[in-house]
Amino acid sequence: MTVELTTWRDGATKSAIVDFVARVTDKSGSDFVPAEERIAVFDNDGTLWPEKPLVIQLDFTVRRFGELAEQDPELRTVQPYQAAYEKNLGWLSESVIKHYRGDDSDFALVLKAVPKAFESVTVEAYDAKVREFFVDAANPQLKRPYLACGYGPMVELLRYLEDNGFTTYIASGGDRDFMRPIAGTMYGIPPERVVGSAVGLGYDDDDGRSNLLYKGEMDFFDDGPEKPIRIWSRIGRRPILAVGNSNGDIPMLSFAGGPDLPALRLLLKHDDAEREFDYIKGAEKALELADAQDWTVVSIANDWASVFADVD
């Protein structure tokens, strides 16, 4: 069955996608790319699912911060535990926005605390905690279960690309092991095709039982210039199609294509307050570059006939 972009409205954006795919799959054309080189990478937060009012992984981790602050009163005056204990989502959300503007004064505190939250937990136990979280966790503003917050047009685009010989990957600043348990359910992406940030791991052999346990420190944060590095180290190829939504995706978008490869760079613009959210904070530089370098800007308001994927 041939996949069509039925949830994308006819217009310049849809035409740019269809025309690009047609060019790279036409064996007689000058832009033909063999199937093994048709790599597409997608950011996750704000690109495949909403990042407002709070990045979903932060919601998950903040709950753990709150638990730790309940157990230790001294943490209640230390960020980000204080924000979690006081349920101050504004501080946490603003820390992410400031990060995308180049100010890591608050986000550095979050990054330091995140790996500590699950220190010494096994990879299997963490996987179970993530799955348990998604059973009933919901977006507080959209009033939708998080599992029902995947963007339908993006999921359809994944299938459309795969139907045309592309291999699709997630390349996100989010925690790799947070996305893996649900990437298959939400996006049809297997765990081995999820590239993301990672907490350090250690090996333990306890009475013959082998375990991988999380350390209390980050291994790497897959954002900004780190994204192309992680894409290359995991995939070994440049993508020819890249999709993002923020300043942190600029290096990944710029890395798409190359001297001998064509490229399509898609930048998702959140401009639909009625169906999702309307904001450009954290994407100002990316939007300027999109205009200057002729990247394709995807307008949620204008280009998507529907926003969220149907969930059985």
Side-chain angles (χ1 to χ4, degrees), residues 49-83:
W49 67 17
E51 60 184 358
K52 299 294 182 180
L54 188 68
V55 173
I56 295 175
Q57 185 187 342
L58 267 183
D59 186 2
F60 169 71
T61 309
V62 161
R63 299 182 190 207
R64 177 60 176 160
F65 291 162
E67 292 174 1
L68 295 173
E70 285 284 354
Q71 298 167 12
D72 184 355
E74 291 186 6
L75 292 177
R76 298 173 191 175
T77 58
V78 179
Q79 294 290 20
Y81 305 97
Q82 180 180 353

mmCIF file of all heavy atoms in Angstrom, residues 49-83:
data_model
loop_
_atom_site.group_PDB
_atom_site.id
_atom_site.type_symbol
_atom_site.label_atom_id
_atom_site.label_comp_id
_atom_site.label_asym_id
_atom_site.label_seq_id
_atom_site.Cartn_x
_atom_site.Cartn_y
_atom_site.Cartn_z
ATOM 1 N N TRP A 49 6.562 15.453 19.066
ATOM 2 C CA TRP A 49 5.507 15.650 20.078
ATOM 3 C C TRP A 49 5.700 17.021 20.711
ATOM 4 O O TRP A 49 6.752 17.636 20.568
ATOM 5 C CB TRP A 49 5.487 14.522 21.095
ATOM 6 C CG TRP A 49 6.672 14.390 22.043
ATOM 7 C CD1 TRP A 49 7.632 15.337 22.324
ATOM 8 C CD2 TRP A 49 6.985 13.251 22.848
ATOM 9 N NE1 TRP A 49 8.523 14.862 23.241
ATOM 10 C CE2 TRP A 49 8.166 13.589 23.585
ATOM 11 C CE3 TRP A 49 6.398 12.005 23.033
ATOM 12 C CZ2 TRP A 49 8.751 12.692 24.484
ATOM 13 C CZ3 TRP A 49 6.994 11.135 23.924
ATOM 14 C CH2 TRP A 49 8.141 11.471 24.637
ATOM 15 N N PRO A 50 4.689 17.557 21.414
ATOM 16 C CA PRO A 50 4.786 18.906 21.986
ATOM 17 C C PRO A 50 5.853 18.997 23.071
ATOM 18 O O PRO A 50 6.129 18.039 23.789
ATOM 19 C CB PRO A 50 3.387 19.144 22.571
ATOM 20 C CG PRO A 50 2.494 18.179 21.868
ATOM 21 C CD PRO A 50 3.342 16.972 21.596
ATOM 22 N N GLU A 51 6.418 20.198 23.200
ATOM 23 C CA GLU A 51 7.373 20.473 24.267
ATOM 24 C C GLU A 51 6.821 21.502 25.255
ATOM 25 O O GLU A 51 7.530 21.956 26.148
ATOM 26 C CB GLU A 51 8.690 20.983 23.676
ATOM 27 C CG GLU A 51 8.544 22.256 22.865
ATOM 28 C CD GLU A 51 9.841 22.682 22.204
ATOM 29 O OE1 GLU A 51 10.871 22.007 22.399
ATOM 30 O OE2 GLU A 51 9.828 23.696 21.486
ATOM 31 N N LYS A 52 5.570 21.879 25.098
ATOM 32 C CA LYS A 52 4.902 22.817 25.985
ATOM 33 C C LYS A 52 3.738 22.120 26.700
ATOM 34 O O LYS A 52 3.150 21.188 26.136
ATOM 35 C CB LYS A 52 4.367 24.026 25.190
ATOM 36 C CG LYS A 52 5.432 24.831 24.473
ATOM 37 C CD LYS A 52 6.367 25.528 25.437
ATOM 38 C CE LYS A 52 7.398 26.358 24.682
ATOM 39 N NZ LYS A 52 8.322 27.051 25.594
ATOM 40 N N PRO A 53 3.357 22.558 27.890
ATOM 41 C CA PRO A 53 3.980 23.622 28.680
ATOM 42 C C PRO A 53 5.300 23.221 29.319
ATOM 43 O O PRO A 53 5.996 24.060 29.879
ATOM 44 C CB PRO A 53 2.927 23.907 29.750
ATOM 45 C CG PRO A 53 2.229 22.605 29.941
ATOM 46 C CD PRO A 53 2.171 21.991 28.576
ATOM 47 N N LEU A 54 5.651 21.930 29.223
ATOM 48 C CA LEU A 54 6.905 21.435 29.763
ATOM 49 C C LEU A 54 7.347 20.248 28.929
ATOM 50 O O LEU A 54 6.517 19.437 28.511
ATOM 51 C CB LEU A 54 6.716 20.999 31.224
ATOM 52 C CG LEU A 54 7.977 20.623 32.018
ATOM 53 C CD1 LEU A 54 8.843 21.851 32.251
ATOM 54 C CD2 LEU A 54 7.592 19.994 33.355
ATOM 55 N N VAL A 55 8.650 20.171 28.660
ATOM 56 C CA VAL A 55 9.184 19.008 27.951
ATOM 57 C C VAL A 55 8.758 17.741 28.708
ATOM 58 O O VAL A 55 8.876 17.661 29.927
ATOM 59 C CB VAL A 55 10.720 19.090 27.859
ATOM 60 C CG1 VAL A 55 11.306 17.813 27.275
ATOM 61 C CG2 VAL A 55 11.134 20.290 27.013
ATOM 62 N N ILE A 56 8.250 16.740 27.983
ATOM 63 C CA ILE A 56 7.648 15.561 28.616
ATOM 64 C C ILE A 56 8.628 14.843 29.535
ATOM 65 O O ILE A 56 8.267 14.414 30.637
ATOM 66 C CB ILE A 56 7.083 14.606 27.548
ATOM 67 C CG1 ILE A 56 5.930 15.293 26.795
ATOM 68 C CG2 ILE A 56 6.602 13.305 28.180
ATOM 69 C CD1 ILE A 56 5.371 14.491 25.633
ATOM 70 N N GLN A 57 9.873 14.724 29.107
ATOM 71 C CA GLN A 57 10.839 14.054 29.973
ATOM 72 C C GLN A 57 11.059 14.836 31.263
ATOM 73 O O GLN A 57 11.282 14.250 32.331
ATOM 74 C CB GLN A 57 12.175 13.857 29.256
ATOM 75 C CG GLN A 57 13.156 13.039 30.108
ATOM 76 C CD GLN A 57 14.535 12.943 29.526
ATOM 77 O OE1 GLN A 57 14.738 13.192 28.341
ATOM 78 N NE2 GLN A 57 15.503 12.584 30.353
ATOM 79 N N LEU A 58 11.005 16.168 31.187
ATOM 80 C CA LEU A 58 11.137 16.969 32.404
ATOM 81 C C LEU A 58 9.977 16.704 33.350
ATOM 82 O O LEU A 58 10.160 16.656 34.571
ATOM 83 C CB LEU A 58 11.212 18.455 32.058
ATOM 84 C CG LEU A 58 12.609 19.053 31.872
ATOM 85 C CD1 LEU A 58 12.516 20.549 31.617
ATOM 86 C CD2 LEU A 58 13.485 18.783 33.084
ATOM 87 N N ASP A 59 8.778 16.528 32.805
ATOM 88 C CA ASP A 59 7.632 16.173 33.649
ATOM 89 C C ASP A 59 7.926 14.878 34.401
ATOM 90 O O ASP A 59 7.715 14.771 35.611
ATOM 91 C CB ASP A 59 6.384 16.025 32.783
ATOM 92 C CG ASP A 59 5.115 15.797 33.599
ATOM 93 O OD1 ASP A 59 5.184 15.786 34.841
ATOM 94 O OD2 ASP A 59 4.046 15.626 32.983
ATOM 95 N N PHE A 60 8.443 13.884 33.669
ATOM 96 C CA PHE A 60 8.796 12.601 34.268
ATOM 97 C C PHE A 60 9.855 12.768 35.351
ATOM 98 O O PHE A 60 9.722 12.254 36.472
ATOM 99 C CB PHE A 60 9.305 11.674 33.159
ATOM 100 C CG PHE A 60 9.946 10.396 33.635
ATOM 101 C CD1 PHE A 60 9.194 9.382 34.202
ATOM 102 C CD2 PHE A 60 11.320 10.212 33.501
ATOM 103 C CE1 PHE A 60 9.785 8.190 34.623
ATOM 104 C CE2 PHE A 60 11.931 9.026 33.906
ATOM 105 C CZ PHE A 60 11.161 8.017 34.483
ATOM 106 N N THR A 61 10.904 13.513 35.039
ATOM 107 C CA THR A 61 12.023 13.656 35.975
ATOM 108 C C THR A 61 11.673 14.569 37.137
ATOM 109 O O THR A 61 12.107 14.340 38.274
ATOM 110 C CB THR A 61 13.266 14.196 35.239
ATOM 111 O OG1 THR A 61 13.510 13.405 34.068
ATOM 112 C CG2 THR A 61 14.490 14.151 36.128
ATOM 113 N N VAL A 62 10.869 15.604 36.867
ATOM 114 C CA VAL A 62 10.467 16.532 37.926
ATOM 115 C C VAL A 62 9.696 15.805 39.024
ATOM 116 O O VAL A 62 9.819 16.131 40.214
ATOM 117 C CB VAL A 62 9.623 17.681 37.324
ATOM 118 C CG1 VAL A 62 8.816 18.396 38.393
ATOM 119 C CG2 VAL A 62 10.537 18.667 36.611
ATOM 120 N N ARG A 63 8.922 14.829 38.645
ATOM 121 C CA ARG A 63 8.194 14.049 39.655
ATOM 122 C C ARG A 63 9.179 13.346 40.590
ATOM 123 O O ARG A 63 8.937 13.249 41.795
ATOM 124 C CB ARG A 63 7.266 13.039 38.975
ATOM 125 C CG ARG A 63 6.209 13.705 38.105
ATOM 126 C CD ARG A 63 5.269 12.701 37.473
ATOM 127 N NE ARG A 63 4.420 13.341 36.467
ATOM 128 C CZ ARG A 63 3.213 12.905 36.125
ATOM 129 N NH1 ARG A 63 2.707 11.829 36.695
ATOM 130 N NH2 ARG A 63 2.511 13.536 35.209
ATOM 131 N N ARG A 64 10.297 12.886 40.018
ATOM 132 C CA ARG A 64 11.328 12.267 40.835
ATOM 133 C C ARG A 64 12.020 13.308 41.711
ATOM 134 O O ARG A 64 12.305 13.049 42.889
ATOM 135 C CB ARG A 64 12.347 11.571 39.926
ATOM 136 C CG ARG A 64 13.525 10.931 40.648
ATOM 137 C CD ARG A 64 13.088 9.865 41.630
ATOM 138 N NE ARG A 64 14.243 9.213 42.237
ATOM 139 C CZ ARG A 64 14.184 8.534 43.372
ATOM 140 N NH1 ARG A 64 13.035 8.417 44.036
ATOM 141 N NH2 ARG A 64 15.275 7.976 43.863
ATOM 142 N N PHE A 65 12.270 14.516 41.161
ATOM 143 C CA PHE A 65 12.841 15.589 41.974
ATOM 144 C C PHE A 65 11.944 15.880 43.177
ATOM 145 O O PHE A 65 12.421 16.095 44.297
ATOM 146 C CB PHE A 65 12.982 16.876 41.152
ATOM 147 C CG PHE A 65 14.032 16.829 40.076
ATOM 148 C CD1 PHE A 65 14.011 17.757 39.047
ATOM 149 C CD2 PHE A 65 15.043 15.884 40.101
ATOM 150 C CE1 PHE A 65 14.974 17.733 38.059
ATOM 151 C CE2 PHE A 65 16.015 15.845 39.101
ATOM 152 C CZ PHE A 65 15.979 16.778 38.069
ATOM 153 N N GLY A 66 10.636 15.914 42.922
ATOM 154 C CA GLY A 66 9.689 16.177 43.999
ATOM 155 C C GLY A 66 9.749 15.115 45.076
ATOM 156 O O GLY A 66 9.681 15.426 46.277
ATOM 157 N N GLU A 67 9.869 13.867 44.668
ATOM 158 C CA GLU A 67 9.977 12.772 45.639
ATOM 159 C C GLU A 67 11.230 12.933 46.500
ATOM 160 O O GLU A 67 11.184 12.756 47.730
ATOM 161 C CB GLU A 67 10.037 11.426 44.907
ATOM 162 C CG GLU A 67 8.748 11.032 44.211
ATOM 163 C CD GLU A 67 8.932 9.763 43.380
ATOM 164 O OE1 GLU A 67 10.064 9.218 43.386
ATOM 165 O OE2 GLU A 67 7.960 9.337 42.737
ATOM 166 N N LEU A 68 12.344 13.295 45.853
ATOM 167 C CA LEU A 68 13.590 13.469 46.587
ATOM 168 C C LEU A 68 13.506 14.648 47.549
ATOM 169 O O LEU A 68 14.050 14.595 48.666
ATOM 170 C CB LEU A 68 14.752 13.666 45.600
ATOM 171 C CG LEU A 68 15.066 12.460 44.709
ATOM 172 C CD1 LEU A 68 16.115 12.830 43.654
ATOM 173 C CD2 LEU A 68 15.562 11.288 45.549
ATOM 174 N N ALA A 69 12.825 15.724 47.141
ATOM 175 C CA ALA A 69 12.655 16.886 48.015
ATOM 176 C C ALA A 69 11.737 16.572 49.192
ATOM 177 O O ALA A 69 11.908 17.115 50.288
ATOM 178 C CB ALA A 69 12.102 18.061 47.219
ATOM 179 N N GLU A 70 10.781 15.703 48.977
ATOM 180 C CA GLU A 70 9.922 15.267 50.083
ATOM 181 C C GLU A 70 10.749 14.520 51.126
ATOM 182 O O GLU A 70 10.540 14.669 52.331
ATOM 183 C CB GLU A 70 8.809 14.361 49.552
ATOM 184 C CG GLU A 70 7.691 15.072 48.815
ATOM 185 C CD GLU A 70 6.730 15.789 49.747
ATOM 186 O OE1 GLU A 70 6.873 15.646 50.976
ATOM 187 O OE2 GLU A 70 5.845 16.504 49.243
ATOM 188 N N GLN A 71 11.700 13.723 50.643
ATOM 189 C CA GLN A 71 12.524 12.922 51.544
ATOM 190 C C GLN A 71 13.614 13.742 52.233
ATOM 191 O O GLN A 71 14.014 13.432 53.358
ATOM 192 C CB GLN A 71 13.174 11.778 50.750
ATOM 193 C CG GLN A 71 12.182 10.809 50.121
ATOM 194 C CD GLN A 71 12.838 9.893 49.096
ATOM 195 O OE1 GLN A 71 14.065 9.821 48.998
ATOM 196 N NE2 GLN A 71 12.018 9.184 48.320
ATOM 197 N N ASP A 72 14.098 14.804 51.565
ATOM 198 C CA ASP A 72 15.200 15.601 52.091
ATOM 199 C C ASP A 72 14.827 17.081 52.092
ATOM 200 O O ASP A 72 14.907 17.743 51.060
ATOM 201 C CB ASP A 72 16.451 15.374 51.235
ATOM 202 C CG ASP A 72 17.680 16.088 51.778
ATOM 203 O OD1 ASP A 72 17.548 16.835 52.769
ATOM 204 O OD2 ASP A 72 18.770 15.898 51.201
ATOM 205 N N PRO A 73 14.434 17.635 53.246
ATOM 206 C CA PRO A 73 14.014 19.045 53.326
ATOM 207 C C PRO A 73 15.071 20.033 52.827
ATOM 208 O O PRO A 73 14.715 21.120 52.339
ATOM 209 C CB PRO A 73 13.745 19.237 54.821
ATOM 210 C CG PRO A 73 13.414 17.875 55.324
ATOM 211 C CD PRO A 73 14.290 16.948 54.537
ATOM 212 N N GLU A 74 16.342 19.685 52.922
ATOM 213 C CA GLU A 74 17.381 20.611 52.474
ATOM 214 C C GLU A 74 17.312 20.871 50.970
ATOM 215 O O GLU A 74 17.728 21.937 50.499
ATOM 216 C CB GLU A 74 18.765 20.054 52.842
ATOM 217 C CG GLU A 74 19.040 20.042 54.341
ATOM 218 C CD GLU A 74 20.467 19.635 54.640
ATOM 219 O OE1 GLU A 74 21.261 19.479 53.682
ATOM 220 O OE2 GLU A 74 20.790 19.477 55.836
ATOM 221 N N LEU A 75 16.779 19.917 50.223
ATOM 222 C CA LEU A 75 16.675 20.087 48.776
ATOM 223 C C LEU A 75 15.577 21.079 48.382
ATOM 224 O O LEU A 75 15.559 21.562 47.243
ATOM 225 C CB LEU A 75 16.399 18.736 48.102
ATOM 226 C CG LEU A 75 17.520 17.701 48.136
ATOM 227 C CD1 LEU A 75 17.047 16.408 47.484
ATOM 228 C CD2 LEU A 75 18.775 18.215 47.456
ATOM 229 N N ARG A 76 14.693 21.389 49.300
ATOM 230 C CA ARG A 76 13.541 22.227 48.968
ATOM 231 C C ARG A 76 13.910 23.679 48.678
ATOM 232 O O ARG A 76 13.084 24.450 48.192
ATOM 233 C CB ARG A 76 12.519 22.156 50.104
ATOM 234 C CG ARG A 76 11.979 20.754 50.318
ATOM 235 C CD ARG A 76 11.098 20.661 51.547
ATOM 236 N NE ARG A 76 10.800 19.244 51.866
ATOM 237 C CZ ARG A 76 10.134 18.850 52.946
ATOM 238 N NH1 ARG A 76 9.684 19.754 53.819
ATOM 239 N NH2 ARG A 76 9.934 17.554 53.147
ATOM 240 N N THR A 77 15.126 24.053 48.973
ATOM 241 C CA THR A 77 15.580 25.418 48.670
ATOM 242 C C THR A 77 16.694 25.409 47.612
ATOM 243 O O THR A 77 17.358 26.415 47.401
ATOM 244 C CB THR A 77 16.090 26.115 49.944
ATOM 245 O OG1 THR A 77 17.158 25.342 50.508
ATOM 246 C CG2 THR A 77 14.965 26.268 50.965
ATOM 247 N N VAL A 78 16.873 24.273 46.954
ATOM 248 C CA VAL A 78 17.910 24.129 45.930
ATOM 249 C C VAL A 78 17.248 23.807 44.591
ATOM 250 O O VAL A 78 16.441 22.882 44.497
ATOM 251 C CB VAL A 78 18.892 22.988 46.306
ATOM 252 C CG1 VAL A 78 19.947 22.824 45.216
ATOM 253 C CG2 VAL A 78 19.542 23.252 47.657
ATOM 254 N N GLN A 79 17.586 24.577 43.558
ATOM 255 C CA GLN A 79 17.040 24.301 42.228
ATOM 256 C C GLN A 79 17.780 23.134 41.578
ATOM 257 O O GLN A 79 18.975 22.974 41.792
ATOM 258 C CB GLN A 79 17.131 25.551 41.334
ATOM 259 C CG GLN A 79 16.275 26.702 41.793
ATOM 260 C CD GLN A 79 14.787 26.449 41.613
ATOM 261 O OE1 GLN A 79 14.328 25.303 41.482
ATOM 262 N NE2 GLN A 79 14.018 27.525 41.628
ATOM 263 N N PRO A 80 17.068 22.311 40.795
ATOM 264 C CA PRO A 80 15.668 22.414 40.373
ATOM 265 C C PRO A 80 14.685 21.706 41.300
ATOM 266 O O PRO A 80 13.492 21.655 41.022
ATOM 267 C CB PRO A 80 15.688 21.719 39.016
ATOM 268 C CG PRO A 80 16.711 20.642 39.193
ATOM 269 C CD PRO A 80 17.780 21.217 40.080
ATOM 270 N N TYR A 81 15.183 21.162 42.424
ATOM 271 C CA TYR A 81 14.307 20.449 43.361
ATOM 272 C C TYR A 81 13.249 21.394 43.937
ATOM 273 O O TYR A 81 12.097 21.002 44.146
ATOM 274 C CB TYR A 81 15.135 19.829 44.484
ATOM 275 C CG TYR A 81 16.234 18.929 44.002
ATOM 276 C CD1 TYR A 81 17.548 19.404 43.884
ATOM 277 C CD2 TYR A 81 15.977 17.615 43.649
ATOM 278 C CE1 TYR A 81 18.564 18.579 43.422
ATOM 279 C CE2 TYR A 81 16.995 16.772 43.196
ATOM 280 C CZ TYR A 81 18.283 17.276 43.084
ATOM 281 O OH TYR A 81 19.287 16.449 42.630
ATOM 282 N N GLN A 82 13.646 22.644 44.172
ATOM 283 C CA GLN A 82 12.704 23.622 44.711
ATOM 284 C C GLN A 82 11.535 23.842 43.761
ATOM 285 O O GLN A 82 10.368 23.856 44.177
ATOM 286 C CB GLN A 82 13.410 24.951 44.975
ATOM 287 C CG GLN A 82 12.493 26.039 45.538
ATOM 288 C CD GLN A 82 13.227 27.349 45.785
ATOM 289 O OE1 GLN A 82 14.444 27.424 45.664
ATOM 290 N NE2 GLN A 82 12.489 28.382 46.131
ATOM 291 N N ALA A 83 11.837 24.007 42.477
ATOM 292 C CA ALA A 83 10.774 24.213 41.486
ATOM 293 C C ALA A 83 9.857 22.999 41.431
ATOM 294 O O ALA A 83 8.630 23.140 41.318
ATOM 295 C CB ALA A 83 11.384 24.480 40.114
#
